[in-house]
Amino acid sequence: MTPPLHQITADDLVEFRHTIPEPMLQLMKVIGEGPALALFNAFMGVELTVPGADKRRTRSAKLRDDLIAVIGAEATDKLAKEYGTERLQIPVFRSLRAEKRVKYIKTAFDTRTASTGPAMSAREAIRSICMDLSRGGWPMTFHQIEMMLNR
């Protein structure tokens, strides 16, 4: 079964760092990689106006509560101090997820066609990967996978 390719992991932040936009790298420095990772996964594609450092109950109180639930109070305070009242666009990390999917496909193909154990034919492996991706919410056609593998 395919891993959740849409979720970014700590390993992804290291392996695919070159795909992460500079403003998000800066954000990671401000609030820490763990909280940033949680923010990226929970708010992917969302534009938000960061609540200000003023903690009084305001119109942004709901967003502040949501941020605290996702990244914790300390990271929310750091975010507010650095970016308070600014609009922040959390990207969908299309390049990162695309590279992650390519890596998954190539690794899965190599594993399934390896000569050790009950190896699949290339066509069986591609069909199996195609089905896994579809079940995981990342459908690709047989032909797309075949072209990606240069088969």
Side-chain angles (χ1 to χ4, degrees), residues 19-87:
T19 68
I20 300 173
E22 183 61 35
M24 295 302 104
L25 293 173
Q26 288 302 112
L27 184 139
M28 289 165 54
K29 289 178 184 174
V30 170
I31 68 173
E33 286 194 8
L37 181 61
L39 180 71
F40 297 162
N41 283 314
F43 288 87
M44 198 175 292
V46 174
E47 179 181 277
L48 52 93
T49 301
V50 178
D54 183 358
K55 295 180 184 177
R56 290 178 291 177
R57 300 305 287 180
T58 63
R59 290 186 313 213
S60 61
K62 170 72 170 104
L63 178 56
R64 176 179 288 285
D65 292 344
D66 290 345
L67 287 169
I68 289 171
V70 172
I71 65 174
E74 183 179 340
T76 299
D77 289 344
K78 289 177 182 177
L79 188 69
K81 183 177 179 186
E82 184 71 22
Y83 299 97
T85 71
E86 290 182 32
R87 282 197 177 138

Side-chain angles (χ1 to χ4, degrees), residues 8-142:
I8 300 171
T9 66
D11 290 340
D12 295 338
L13 293 179
V14 174
E15 185 170 357
F16 305 112
R17 192 173 207 87
H18 62 280
T19 68
I20 300 173
E22 183 61 35
M24 295 302 104
L25 293 173
Q26 288 302 112
L27 184 139
M28 289 165 54
K29 289 178 184 174
V30 170
I31 68 173
E33 286 194 8
L37 181 61
L39 180 71
F40 297 162
N41 283 314
F43 288 87
M44 198 175 292
V46 174
E47 179 181 277
L48 52 93
T49 301
V50 178
D54 183 358
K55 295 180 184 177
R56 290 178 291 177
R57 300 305 287 180
T58 63
R59 290 186 313 213
S60 61
K62 170 72 170 104
L63 178 56
R64 176 179 288 285
D65 292 344
D66 290 345
L67 287 169
I68 289 171
V70 172
I71 65 174
E74 183 179 340
T76 299
D77 289 344
K78 289 177 182 177
L79 188 69
K81 183 177 179 186
E82 184 71 22
Y83 299 97
T85 71
E86 290 182 32
R87 282 197 177 138
L88 187 62
Q89 175 69 47
I90 308 300
V92 294
F93 298 96
R94 189 170 285 120
S95 295
L96 184 150
R97 292 181 298 122
E99 287 192 29
K100 183 176 178 173
R101 182 169 63 178
V102 168
K103 179 184 176 193
Y104 167 77
I105 289 168
K106 289 181 176 183
T107 301
F109 181 82
D110 290 345
T111 301
R112 293 170 195 199
T113 58
S115 59
T116 57
M120 294 179 172
S121 70
R123 291 189 63 77
E124 289 172 322
I126 293 170
R127 180 179 37 77
S128 173
I129 292 166
C130 190
M131 291 169 61
D132 284 351
L133 289 171
S134 183
R135 281 191 294 265
W138 289 86
M140 286 182 74
T141 67
F142 184 96

